[in-house]
Amino acid sequence: MTTTPRTLRRPAVGLAATASAAALLLSACSTGADAASGAGASADADPVAGGDLTFAITVDSHCIDPQQVGNNDAIAAARQTVASLTAQDPGSGKILPWLAEGWEVNDDASSYTFHLRDDATFADGTPIDAEAVKTNFDAIVDLGAVASLGSQYLVGYAGTTVEDERTVTVDFDEPSAQFLQATSTFSLGLLSPASAKLSAEDRCAGKYVGSGPFAVKSYTQDQEIVLEKVKGYAWGSEANAHTGEAYLDTVTFKVIPEAGVRTGSLQSGQIDATAALNAVDLPQFDGHGFWLQYRANPGVVFNLFPNESSPLAADEAVRTAIVKGIDRQQIVDTVLTPQDQPATGVLSHSTPLFEGADDLLAYDPDGAKKILDDAGWVTGADGIREKDGTKLSTTVTFWQVPEPLELVQQQLRQIGVDLQLKHVTVAESEAAKESGDFDFDYYNLTRSDADVLRTIFSANARNINQRDPEEVDTLLDDSAAATDPEERKKLVAEASRLLIERGHAIPVYELSTTIAAADRVQGLTFEASSRLDFYDAWVTDGAEG
């Protein structure tokens, strides 16, 4: 059993355990995440309490419930409103105390016991106790697919037992090596028991009470989300620089869809910061009264995800030819930021347990053409291939900026594939995922744990490919049960290669998040999963010294 020593308030986390369970925790503490670069002016100045910060986001997905959201813009606001049982150090990946001051994990990682601190409350003053933890985890399971991330973190959930007011045990039907890191995510952040019982729609509308340093003050769809600091908050995590109330009085997230308007708004001071500038605009904010900070996002990189229940995507030759027909370096060099990197695997290089498969992702248009030739796809008069009267024309559904996919579209045309781009809203994209009404999907999923691979691809989990189980699913599912980090890394690496070799995954590029901010903004940074963290942020014209 792995035991984290318990002390009051903010303990140091020590590991003393049997080999298998110790390895489990070590696997969560090994990360290749890039260190953030860049800093605000007066970085050594003492924080000032008070003041307001306005941050621009690109889209409103019409939900800000932390247990339901999956879109990065919504997460930026939602993350600030909930505390989690644990936190994850952005540099080392180590799991640290937050609402739980200590924990034990059994030898096969199927049972986790958490010991809660005794001073934490929800924003309305309701105590955060063991019963509240149980209520939240039960509610996430009940939400099912609506809680798209949290429900996957709780796969195999057998239930939560309240041992006493401050002690809670979470059990799984089988080993779940990923769960400890999952308890550090916003998706398993805690809402008040009353809020956990609200309808999914009310929670999406911000009518919930959270446990974090900020609370929802107002939410106007497609316009703005306003958060205000929680008075008396005094339980910041060990991953943060302080423990008391947030410094900022309010954080306002302005919805600004147009890239040029976001740039102009930052230049003119109408907003203070954003993480959504075009690559071409970034250099002007490197100095000159502004600063930049970036971090590579861990997790599954931007991929084309084939729906293998659709006719063309069901053809392995088509899928594997597309893998070879994409020039990933050209995409990065042409339309992305200097911090972005071409995909070298299904996972980002900053993900714990990452192992590259760049040999499978080399640009090889001649190899792609041969695969299609051998499969009977003949080039037509217009350059697009045909077979049995069917054109090799398919569609990718997406909501993100179109430039990377426009370049992919051009590249694939050179091998005879006609990729049509279907630009939709976030809500329409999510609906397509749920209904399976797409040929190819396109997105990334950020998480600082390799289990994100299983979450998306396993035929026993989300099964984004809509395919029957095969060898790769055994590898993915076994990786979720492996407590030895070397065994788990091997399973993840084998699964990653198989996903590419069979064309189930078509990686394109790694995402990095770049904050651009005015010098008045200090302390705005990233948590371990490259989510924005406003808790330590402050502004130089705050109200109190």
Side-chain angles (χ1 to χ4, degrees):
M1 175 177 290
T2 297
T3 303
T4 299
R6 295 181 58 212
T7 61
L8 292 178
R9 301 293 188 253
R10 304 176 60 75
V13 180
L15 302 179
T18 61
S20 62
L24 160 71
L25 291 191
L26 289 173
S27 72
C29 299
S30 174
T31 177
D34 294 346
S37 68
S42 306
D44 295 329
D46 292 332
V48 177
D52 309 299
L53 189 153
T54 301
F55 188 92
I57 58 177
T58 64
V59 67
D60 180 6
S61 57
H62 296 172
C63 187
I64 58 172
D65 173 20
Q67 294 178 359
Q68 296 185 65
V69 297
N71 165 262
N72 284 339
D73 282 342
I75 291 167
R79 166 75 275 190
Q80 320 312 317
T81 65
V82 285
S84 303
L85 288 177
T86 66
Q88 188 174 15
D89 182 84
S92 69
K94 187 176 184 179
I95 304 301
L96 300 171
W98 195 349
L99 295 176
E101 61 182 15
W103 52 84
E104 295 95 48
V105 184
N106 72 347
D107 289 347
D108 71 351
S110 63
S111 184
Y112 296 74
T113 297
F114 297 93
H115 305 281
L116 306 180
R117 57 189 302 156
D118 61 9
D119 60 343
T121 70
F122 294 100
D124 61 0
T126 304
I128 297 175
D129 57 16
E131 190 63 45
V133 175
K134 173 178 171 57
T135 297
N136 273 265
F137 289 173
D138 289 350
I140 292 169
V141 171
D142 288 343
L143 282 170
V146 174
S148 59
L149 301 179
S151 62
Q152 292 300 318
Y153 301 163
L154 291 171
V155 166
Y157 177 74
T160 297
T161 302
V162 175
E163 310 289 356
D164 59 44
E165 187 178 11
R166 299 290 163 196
T167 309
V168 61
T169 298
V170 184
D171 291 309
F172 293 86
D173 291 327
E174 54 191 23
S176 184
Q178 56 81 39
F179 179 65
L180 187 62
Q181 189 277 336
T183 64
S184 73
T185 67
F186 66 91
S187 301
L188 299 187
L190 302 187
L191 305 179
S192 71
S195 298
K197 297 175 182 177
L198 292 174
S199 70
E201 293 76 15
D202 279 348
R203 289 166 53 172
C204 272
K207 299 176 182 178
Y208 63 84
V209 175
S211 51
F214 292 92
V216 179
K217 182 178 181 181
S218 64
Y219 173 30
T220 306
Q221 283 193 357
D222 298 317
Q223 295 184 37
E224 67 178 24
I225 307 158
V226 181
L227 307 182
E228 59 184 353
K229 75 176 175 183
V230 174
K231 300 292 186 181
Y233 183 90
W235 40 91
S237 81
E238 288 199 358
N240 288 107
H242 81 297
T243 61
E245 293 180 1
Y247 298 122
L248 294 167
D249 289 333
T250 66
V251 181
T252 299
F253 295 88
K254 290 274 189 186
V255 181
I256 305 178
E258 301 82 8
V261 177
R262 290 192 298 273
T263 298
S265 297
L266 184 57
Q267 287 174 323
S268 65
Q270 296 177 65
I271 63 171
D272 300 303
T274 185
L277 292 184
N278 282 343
V280 69
D281 292 330
L282 287 174
Q284 64 188 290
F285 297 105
D286 190 4
H288 319 293
F290 300 91
W291 55 267
L292 301 175
Q293 183 180 166
Y294 78 94
R295 193 173 192 275
N297 286 38
V300 170
V301 304
F302 269 107
N303 272 258
L304 291 170
F305 299 94
N307 175 0
E308 296 175 34
S309 68
S310 64
L312 289 179
D315 187 334
E316 185 172 338
V318 171
R319 302 195 307 267
T320 55
I322 290 174
V323 171
K324 291 180 178 294
I326 297 175
D327 186 343
R328 295 160 180 83
Q329 188 63 56
Q330 184 188 38
I331 293 168
V332 170
D333 292 343
T334 305
V335 299
L336 299 175
T337 75
Q339 289 75 39
D340 293 311
Q341 297 187 29
T344 55
V346 188
L347 294 172
S348 163
H349 79 277
S350 60
T351 312
L353 307 184
F354 166 82
E355 188 169 302
D358 40 329
D359 58 310
L360 301 178
L361 297 175
Y363 180 47
D364 183 11
D366 291 337
K369 291 174 183 176
K370 185 176 187 307
I371 289 173
L372 294 172
D373 288 340
D374 292 346
W377 288 100
V378 179
T379 304
D382 59 357
I384 303 304
R385 292 175 180 264
E386 301 177 6
K387 180 179 180 180
D388 299 330
T390 299
K391 276 192 168 294
L392 214 176
S393 179
T394 189
T395 301
V396 57
T397 303
F398 69 104
W399 63 265
Q400 298 86 348
V401 294
E403 287 81 5
L405 285 177
E406 289 172 347
L407 197 48
V408 170
Q409 182 184 50
Q410 296 171 26
Q411 294 169 352
L412 294 185
R413 190 171 185 88
Q414 295 174 25
I415 65 169
V417 177
D418 175 34
L419 182 69
Q420 294 292 315
L421 308 186
K422 184 178 180 181
H423 204 180
V424 299
T425 66
V426 173
E428 289 168 339
S429 174
E430 291 303 315
K433 286 182 180 64
E434 290 301 315
S435 67
D437 185 18
F438 63 91
D439 294 336
F440 285 83
D441 202 355
Y442 171 80
Y443 65 97
N444 78 301
L445 185 58
T446 297
R447 187 184 176 192
S448 191
D449 190 280
D451 191 64
V452 66
L453 201 66
R454 179 196 61 82
T455 299
I456 292 180
F457 288 100
S458 174
N460 303 312
R462 181 177 296 179
N463 192 12
I464 187 64
N465 302 129
Q466 299 188 45
R467 55 177 175 76
D468 294 331
E470 57 184 78
E471 178 187 359
V472 70
D473 301 299
T474 301
L475 295 170
L476 290 170
D477 295 346
D478 286 351
S479 73
T483 57
D484 178 78
E486 289 305 316
E487 178 189 2
R488 194 173 182 220
K489 183 174 183 177
K490 180 181 178 182
L491 291 166
V492 169
E494 289 179 5
S496 298
R497 293 188 68 87
L498 263 180
L499 287 170
I500 297 171
E501 288 171 351
R502 297 292 307 277
H504 300 318
I506 304 175
V508 182
Y509 73 94
E510 294 187 2
L511 175 70
S512 68
T513 301
T514 301
I515 301 171
D519 278 347
R520 73 183 291 263
V521 178
Q522 302 292 307
L524 174 58
T525 188
F526 301 103
E527 62 169 32
S529 291
S530 297
R531 309 301 187 186
L532 297 169
D533 189 348
F534 290 80
Y535 174 53
D536 289 329
W538 55 284
V539 290
T540 54
D541 54 350
E544 302 173 20

